[in-house]
Each structure stands twice: as structure tokens, then as C-alpha cells.
Amino acid sequence: MPTSAHEGLIHLMVVAAASDSAMSQSEWKRVEGLVGRMPVFEAFDSARLAEVANNCVEKVNGAPGLDGAINDALAAIPAKLQDTAYALAVEITALDLHLSQEELRFLEMLRDRIEVDRLTTAAIETAARARYRRMPG
């Protein structure tokens, strides 16, 4: 189980990035960027990021598996930060504006487990799509 809310948030971002079976370099850079600039991570020692991410991968690949990793991460995150947790996961999956079936399934699993209403999760998803759009042409 992650020992802090920071670790829980990072675990969910790592699972989101790896949900399509591989974490791309751009996804990892996005995780690093979010940890480096988001106010929720102000007290987190970013030098520990790789260690926390590796712990998550070990958990997903080990006995607890994906469900256990998600449950453990959510158990470490206070209820008032569950919308933030969902927003961070969406940020990672929306990076390329194409969500694979695995990424969609992960977000669905996460939505089912968090205490955030459907309108809020829809708004988070819409905002992420808007942020990552590119100019046509």
C-alpha cells in the first residue's frame, strides 16, 4: 500500500500510463511534469519519483495485481483529493488524444471506485481533451 497520498496519486498516474501495456517516454515526462508543478505535490520529494513509480509497477505485476494497486492507491488518497486523482489519471491518458480500450477500461474502473459524481468526471475528461487539441491543418 502506498504510504502517502502523494504516492497514491503517483501510482494512479503510473497505472494510467501503463494501462495500454507500455508507458511511453511522453507519458513519463508528463508524470514528471505534473509532479514537478502541481500544488498537490509541493511537499513531495521529487527525487523519489522513480522509486515510487517502480514500486507501483512491482505491485501491478505482483500478487495484488491491477485491482489491488488501484485499491491501495485510493485507500491512501483522502476523499477530498479523489477528483484530483481522477484528473491526474485523465491527464496521462489524454496526452495523445487517442484512448485505447485499455485506457478507457482503466478510467472506467477508477470512476467506479472514487467518490466523485459522474458530472464532475465528465467535466474533467472534457477539459483534458480541450487542453490537448491541436490546430487543424
Side-chain angles (χ1 to χ4, degrees), residues 4 6-7 10 13-14 28-54:
S4 72
H6 292 129
E7 291 173 0
I10 292 166
M13 288 191 291
V14 169
W28 177 247
K29 288 201 178 296
R30 173 60 68 194
V31 170
E32 287 178 319
L34 290 169
V35 169
R37 79 169 186 276
M38 296 292 292
V40 74
F41 292 110
E42 285 175 344
F44 179 73
D45 177 8
S46 60
R48 293 189 54 239
L49 180 58
E51 169 196 340
V52 172
N54 286 331

Side-chain angles (χ1 to χ4, degrees), residues 19 66-67 100-113:
S19 63
L66 178 61
D67 285 334
S100 68
Q101 283 301 116
E102 295 84 3
E103 289 170 324
L104 291 169
R105 177 69 184 125
F106 166 71
L107 291 176
E108 180 183 356
M109 289 171 61
L110 189 54
R111 271 194 312 269
D112 289 346
R113 293 181 177 146

